[in-house]
Amino acid sequence: MTDDIAQHYRHIITAIGENPDREGLRDTPKRAAKAMQFLTAGYQQSLEEIVNGAVFESQTDEMVLVKDIELYSMCEHHLLPFIGKCHIAYLPSGKVLGLSKFARIVDMYARRMQIQENLTREIAEAVQQVTQSRGVAVVIEARHLCMMMRGVEKQNSSMTSSVMLGSFRSNQATRQEFLTLIS
Ligand SMILES: Nc1nc2c(ncn2[C@@H]2O[C@H](COP(=O)(O)OP(=O)(O)OP(=O)(O)O)[C@@H](O)[C@H]2O)c(=O)[nH]1
Ligand SMILES: [Zn+2]
């Protein structure tokens, strides 16, 4: 697979008018292929594998919030990065999820070709599926390189997307508590 992707990068390098055989570029197709495979490694993972059974019994029923999980993804329209942070909250119902697993869930879906809205929903639904909680809230704030380096070239705009499930959707006070905690 790496060789196949590298071959395509070699064609791209040639097509943009560079010489893929010059010293500095000789290993670039292979390096770029490995980087691309890393950035899309989420396709090879499953929720079950990354959660690895780290769901624990707990009587807590108060909101749990994991804030400022850094996020690197790639927009599916231009294959350029979008970079930001993700906040996840849930209302446990007998079970809590291992802390590191929130970041693993974010990475698994971020390391795919994405748009921010779908990424936000996929993370929320995964947390809901694993925790069976009374509600899940996910907010992502990100900057899109496809809007900064090219296209409209706007350097200071960021996009905020949110998905509220269960009580975060139906109960205004719960939603407000979450929004206050992340602001
Ligand atoms: N909603 C949403 N749009 C995105 C995301 N990432 C990129 N886009 C947008 O996808 C759109 C693609 O628009 P097109 O007109 O088909 O492509 P384009 O000619 O390259 O567009 P410009 O970026 O406006 O130059 C652009 O408006 C991008 O800003 C994302 O995560 N969410
Ligand atoms: Zn884009």
Side-chain angles (χ1 to χ4, degrees):
M1 180 61 95
T2 310
D3 287 349
D4 188 30
I5 299 171
Q7 193 58 32
H8 288 293
Y9 273 123
R10 197 181 149 83
H11 290 313
I12 292 171
I13 290 168
T14 306
I16 63 175
E18 259 288 4
N19 170 13
D21 294 317
R22 77 172 167 82
E23 203 256 332
L25 296 186
R26 214 171 289 146
D27 293 329
T28 297
K30 191 153 204 164
R31 285 192 210 99
K34 283 188 179 161
M36 180 55 86
Q37 282 180 298
F38 179 81
L39 298 175
T40 55
Y43 289 116
Q44 319 308 325
Q45 298 178 313
S46 71
L47 193 52
E48 195 181 11
E49 175 201 335
I50 59 168
V51 168
N52 192 32
V55 180
F56 310 109
E57 278 180 31
S58 167
Q59 293 319 307
T60 185
D61 61 358
E62 293 296 329
M63 185 184 304
V64 176
L65 169 65
V66 188
K67 244 167 75 160
D68 294 326
I69 302 168
E70 66 255 41
L71 174 145
Y72 299 90
S73 190
M74 194 165 55
C75 87
E76 65 185 27
H77 302 128
H78 301 96
L79 298 180
L80 286 170
F82 59 95
I83 300 170
K85 52 191 179 177
C86 179
H87 314 295
I88 305 174
Y90 73 116
L91 291 165
S93 165
K95 295 194 262 190
V96 292
L97 176 62
L99 180 57
S100 66
K101 305 307 179 187
F102 294 94
R104 288 195 187 280
I105 289 171
V106 170
D107 285 346
M108 177 175 80
Y109 292 108
R111 289 180 185 150
R112 298 178 182 191
M113 291 165 63
Q114 279 290 8
I115 65 170
Q116 186 177 325
E117 295 92 327
N118 294 347
L119 175 59
T120 314
R121 175 154 295 279
E122 286 168 9
I123 293 168
E125 286 175 352
V127 172
Q128 178 55 30
Q129 188 184 322
V130 171
T131 61
Q132 299 287 306
S133 66
R134 289 173 293 125
V136 175
V138 176
V139 167
I140 294 177
E141 298 161 33
R143 291 175 185 275
H144 290 244
L145 275 272
C146 65
M147 259 189 78
M148 298 168 72
M149 293 175 72
R150 57 157 297 287
V152 289
E153 298 179 61
K154 292 290 171 269
Q155 309 307 317
N156 299 309
S157 71
S158 69
M159 175 170 167
T160 301
S161 51
S162 67
V163 170
M164 308 278 164
L165 304 178
S167 300
F168 288 95
R169 197 177 178 87
S170 58
N171 185 323
Q172 171 121 30
T174 304
R175 182 166 60 242
Q176 201 50 51
E177 181 184 347
F178 166 68
L179 294 173
T180 305
L181 285 170
I182 65 167
S183 64

